[in-house]
Short mmCIF file of all heavy atoms in Angstrom, two decimals:
data_model
loop_
_atom_site.label_atom_id
_atom_site.label_comp_id
_atom_site.label_asym_id
_atom_site.label_seq_id
_atom_site.Cartn_x
_atom_site.Cartn_y
_atom_site.Cartn_z
N GLU A 1 -5.95 6.19 -1.97
CA GLU A 1 -5.33 7.19 -1.10
C GLU A 1 -4.70 6.51 0.10
O GLU A 1 -5.25 5.57 0.66
CB GLU A 1 -6.37 8.22 -0.65
CG GLU A 1 -6.92 9.07 -1.79
CD GLU A 1 -7.82 10.17 -1.30
OE1 GLU A 1 -8.02 10.26 -0.06
OE2 GLU A 1 -8.35 10.93 -2.13
N TYR A 2 -3.55 7.01 0.51
CA TYR A 2 -2.89 6.52 1.72
C TYR A 2 -2.17 7.68 2.38
O TYR A 2 -1.90 8.70 1.75
CB TYR A 2 -1.91 5.39 1.41
CG TYR A 2 -0.88 5.71 0.34
CD1 TYR A 2 0.24 6.50 0.63
CD2 TYR A 2 -1.02 5.24 -0.97
CE1 TYR A 2 1.18 6.80 -0.33
CE2 TYR A 2 -0.08 5.54 -1.95
CZ TYR A 2 1.01 6.31 -1.62
OH TYR A 2 1.94 6.61 -2.58
N ARG A 3 -1.87 7.52 3.65
CA ARG A 3 -1.16 8.56 4.40
C ARG A 3 0.29 8.14 4.57
O ARG A 3 0.56 7.05 5.07
CB ARG A 3 -1.81 8.78 5.76
CG ARG A 3 -1.18 9.92 6.58
CD ARG A 3 -1.97 10.17 7.85
NE ARG A 3 -1.86 9.06 8.79
CZ ARG A 3 -0.92 8.96 9.74
NH1 ARG A 3 0.01 9.90 9.86
NH2 ARG A 3 -0.92 7.92 10.55
N VAL A 4 1.23 8.99 4.14
CA VAL A 4 2.65 8.69 4.31
C VAL A 4 3.04 9.00 5.75
O VAL A 4 2.97 10.14 6.21
CB VAL A 4 3.51 9.51 3.33
CG1 VAL A 4 4.99 9.23 3.58
CG2 VAL A 4 3.14 9.17 1.88
N VAL A 5 3.45 7.97 6.47
CA VAL A 5 3.84 8.10 7.87
C VAL A 5 5.31 8.50 7.97
O VAL A 5 5.71 9.29 8.83
CB VAL A 5 3.61 6.77 8.61
CG1 VAL A 5 4.09 6.85 10.05
CG2 VAL A 5 2.13 6.39 8.55
N ARG A 6 6.12 7.95 7.05
CA ARG A 6 7.56 8.24 7.06
C ARG A 6 8.11 8.06 5.66
O ARG A 6 7.68 7.18 4.92
CB ARG A 6 8.29 7.29 8.01
CG ARG A 6 9.79 7.52 8.10
CD ARG A 6 10.43 6.58 9.10
NE ARG A 6 11.86 6.78 9.16
CZ ARG A 6 12.69 6.04 9.90
NH1 ARG A 6 12.20 5.05 10.62
NH2 ARG A 6 13.98 6.27 9.90
N GLN A 7 9.06 8.92 5.28
CA GLN A 7 9.71 8.81 3.97
C GLN A 7 11.20 9.01 4.13
O GLN A 7 11.66 9.91 4.84
CB GLN A 7 9.15 9.84 2.99
CG GLN A 7 9.76 9.72 1.60
CD GLN A 7 9.11 10.66 0.60
OE1 GLN A 7 8.44 11.63 0.98
NE2 GLN A 7 9.26 10.38 -0.68
N GLU A 8 11.97 8.15 3.46
CA GLU A 8 13.42 8.26 3.46
C GLU A 8 13.92 7.82 2.08
O GLU A 8 14.05 6.63 1.81
CB GLU A 8 14.03 7.38 4.56
CG GLU A 8 15.54 7.51 4.70
CD GLU A 8 16.09 6.69 5.84
OE1 GLU A 8 15.51 6.75 6.95
OE2 GLU A 8 17.09 5.96 5.61
N GLY A 9 14.15 8.79 1.21
CA GLY A 9 14.56 8.47 -0.15
C GLY A 9 13.46 7.72 -0.88
O GLY A 9 12.32 8.18 -0.97
N VAL A 10 13.79 6.53 -1.40
CA VAL A 10 12.81 5.72 -2.14
C VAL A 10 11.92 4.88 -1.23
O VAL A 10 11.02 4.19 -1.70
CB VAL A 10 13.52 4.80 -3.15
CG1 VAL A 10 14.25 5.60 -4.20
CG2 VAL A 10 14.49 3.85 -2.43
N PHE A 11 12.16 4.95 0.09
CA PHE A 11 11.40 4.16 1.05
C PHE A 11 10.27 4.99 1.66
O PHE A 11 10.46 6.17 1.97
CB PHE A 11 12.30 3.64 2.17
CG PHE A 11 13.47 2.83 1.68
CD1 PHE A 11 14.75 3.36 1.66
CD2 PHE A 11 13.29 1.52 1.25
CE1 PHE A 11 15.82 2.62 1.21
CE2 PHE A 11 14.36 0.76 0.80
CZ PHE A 11 15.63 1.31 0.78
N GLU A 12 9.12 4.36 1.84
CA GLU A 12 8.00 5.01 2.52
C GLU A 12 7.30 4.01 3.43
O GLU A 12 7.25 2.81 3.14
CB GLU A 12 6.97 5.54 1.52
CG GLU A 12 7.38 6.81 0.81
CD GLU A 12 6.25 7.38 -0.03
OE1 GLU A 12 5.25 6.66 -0.28
OE2 GLU A 12 6.37 8.54 -0.45
N VAL A 13 6.74 4.53 4.52
CA VAL A 13 5.81 3.78 5.36
C VAL A 13 4.47 4.48 5.22
O VAL A 13 4.37 5.70 5.38
CB VAL A 13 6.26 3.74 6.83
CG1 VAL A 13 5.20 3.07 7.69
CG2 VAL A 13 7.59 3.01 6.95
N ARG A 14 3.43 3.70 4.90
CA ARG A 14 2.12 4.26 4.57
C ARG A 14 1.02 3.60 5.39
O ARG A 14 1.08 2.41 5.68
CB ARG A 14 1.81 4.03 3.09
CG ARG A 14 2.87 4.52 2.14
CD ARG A 14 2.66 3.91 0.76
NE ARG A 14 3.62 4.41 -0.23
CZ ARG A 14 3.77 3.89 -1.44
NH1 ARG A 14 3.01 2.85 -1.81
NH2 ARG A 14 4.66 4.40 -2.27
N ASP A 15 0.00 4.38 5.69
CA ASP A 15 -1.23 3.85 6.28
C ASP A 15 -2.30 3.81 5.20
O ASP A 15 -2.67 4.84 4.63
CB ASP A 15 -1.69 4.72 7.45
CG ASP A 15 -0.90 4.46 8.71
OD1 ASP A 15 -0.24 3.40 8.80
OD2 ASP A 15 -0.93 5.31 9.62
N TYR A 16 -2.78 2.60 4.89
CA TYR A 16 -3.81 2.42 3.89
C TYR A 16 -5.17 2.26 4.55
O TYR A 16 -5.29 1.63 5.60
CB TYR A 16 -3.53 1.16 3.06
CG TYR A 16 -2.47 1.33 2.00
CD1 TYR A 16 -1.13 1.09 2.30
CD2 TYR A 16 -2.79 1.73 0.72
CE1 TYR A 16 -0.15 1.24 1.34
CE2 TYR A 16 -1.82 1.88 -0.26
CZ TYR A 16 -0.50 1.63 0.06
OH TYR A 16 0.47 1.78 -0.90
N PRO A 17 -6.22 2.79 3.94
CA PRO A 17 -7.57 2.61 4.48
C PRO A 17 -8.14 1.26 4.08
O PRO A 17 -7.50 0.48 3.37
CB PRO A 17 -8.36 3.74 3.80
CG PRO A 17 -7.70 3.85 2.45
CD PRO A 17 -6.22 3.60 2.71
N SER A 18 -9.35 0.97 4.52
CA SER A 18 -10.05 -0.21 4.07
C SER A 18 -10.35 -0.09 2.58
O SER A 18 -10.67 1.00 2.09
CB SER A 18 -11.36 -0.36 4.85
OG SER A 18 -12.07 -1.50 4.43
N LEU A 19 -10.22 -1.19 1.85
CA LEU A 19 -10.38 -1.19 0.40
C LEU A 19 -11.31 -2.31 -0.02
O LEU A 19 -11.40 -3.33 0.64
CB LEU A 19 -9.02 -1.36 -0.28
CG LEU A 19 -7.96 -0.30 0.04
CD1 LEU A 19 -6.58 -0.80 -0.38
CD2 LEU A 19 -8.29 1.01 -0.64
N VAL A 20 -11.97 -2.11 -1.16
CA VAL A 20 -12.81 -3.15 -1.76
C VAL A 20 -12.06 -3.69 -2.97
O VAL A 20 -11.59 -2.93 -3.81
CB VAL A 20 -14.17 -2.59 -2.19
CG1 VAL A 20 -15.02 -3.69 -2.83
CG2 VAL A 20 -14.90 -1.99 -0.99
N VAL A 21 -11.95 -5.02 -3.06
CA VAL A 21 -11.18 -5.62 -4.14
C VAL A 21 -12.01 -6.65 -4.90
O VAL A 21 -12.96 -7.23 -4.36
CB VAL A 21 -9.89 -6.30 -3.62
CG1 VAL A 21 -9.06 -5.31 -2.83
CG2 VAL A 21 -10.20 -7.52 -2.78
N ALA A 22 -11.63 -6.84 -6.16
CA ALA A 22 -12.09 -7.98 -6.95
C ALA A 22 -10.87 -8.87 -7.16
O ALA A 22 -9.78 -8.37 -7.44
CB ALA A 22 -12.67 -7.52 -8.29
N GLU A 23 -11.02 -10.16 -7.03
CA GLU A 23 -9.86 -11.04 -7.10
C GLU A 23 -10.18 -12.36 -7.79
O GLU A 23 -11.34 -12.80 -7.84
CB GLU A 23 -9.30 -11.32 -5.70
CG GLU A 23 -10.24 -12.10 -4.81
CD GLU A 23 -9.67 -12.36 -3.43
OE1 GLU A 23 -8.83 -11.57 -2.97
OE2 GLU A 23 -10.09 -13.35 -2.80
N VAL A 24 -9.13 -12.98 -8.35
CA VAL A 24 -9.21 -14.32 -8.92
C VAL A 24 -7.96 -15.09 -8.49
O VAL A 24 -6.94 -14.49 -8.17
CB VAL A 24 -9.30 -14.31 -10.47
CG1 VAL A 24 -10.58 -13.65 -10.93
CG2 VAL A 24 -8.09 -13.63 -11.08
N SER A 25 -8.04 -16.40 -8.50
CA SER A 25 -6.89 -17.25 -8.18
C SER A 25 -6.34 -17.86 -9.45
O SER A 25 -7.10 -18.25 -10.35
CB SER A 25 -7.30 -18.37 -7.22
OG SER A 25 -7.74 -17.85 -5.99
N ARG A 26 -5.02 -17.94 -9.53
CA ARG A 26 -4.35 -18.50 -10.69
C ARG A 26 -3.14 -19.32 -10.26
O ARG A 26 -2.51 -19.03 -9.23
CB ARG A 26 -3.90 -17.40 -11.65
CG ARG A 26 -5.04 -16.71 -12.39
CD ARG A 26 -5.71 -17.67 -13.35
NE ARG A 26 -6.77 -17.03 -14.14
CZ ARG A 26 -8.04 -16.98 -13.77
NH1 ARG A 26 -8.41 -17.50 -12.61
NH2 ARG A 26 -8.95 -16.42 -14.57
N GLN A 27 -2.79 -20.33 -11.05
CA GLN A 27 -1.59 -21.14 -10.82
C GLN A 27 -0.53 -20.76 -11.85
O GLN A 27 -0.83 -20.22 -12.92
CB GLN A 27 -1.92 -22.62 -10.97
CG GLN A 27 -2.91 -23.15 -9.93
CD GLN A 27 -2.33 -23.15 -8.54
OE1 GLN A 27 -2.91 -22.57 -7.63
NE2 GLN A 27 -1.19 -23.79 -8.36
N GLY A 28 0.72 -21.09 -11.54
CA GLY A 28 1.79 -20.89 -12.51
C GLY A 28 2.81 -19.87 -12.06
O GLY A 28 2.79 -19.39 -10.93
#
C-alpha cells in the first residue's frame, strides 16, 4: 500500500510505508 501524493497522467508521486524485504545479490 502507498499513498498517492500527486498524479499527472502516467506519472505519480507516492509515499511508501516501511517494508520488510527478502533479498539476494547477483552479478551479470
Side-chain angles (χ1 to χ4, degrees):
E1 294 186 0
Y2 53 78
R3 184 174 68 91
V4 177
V5 176
R6 181 178 179 184
Q7 182 175 18
E8 184 177 313
V10 296
F11 303 105
E12 284 187 346
V13 174
R14 306 164 177 170
D15 282 342
Y16 282 90
S18 180
L19 302 164
V20 179
V21 304
E23 65 181 27
V24 296
S25 297
R26 289 293 183 269
Q27 296 293 124

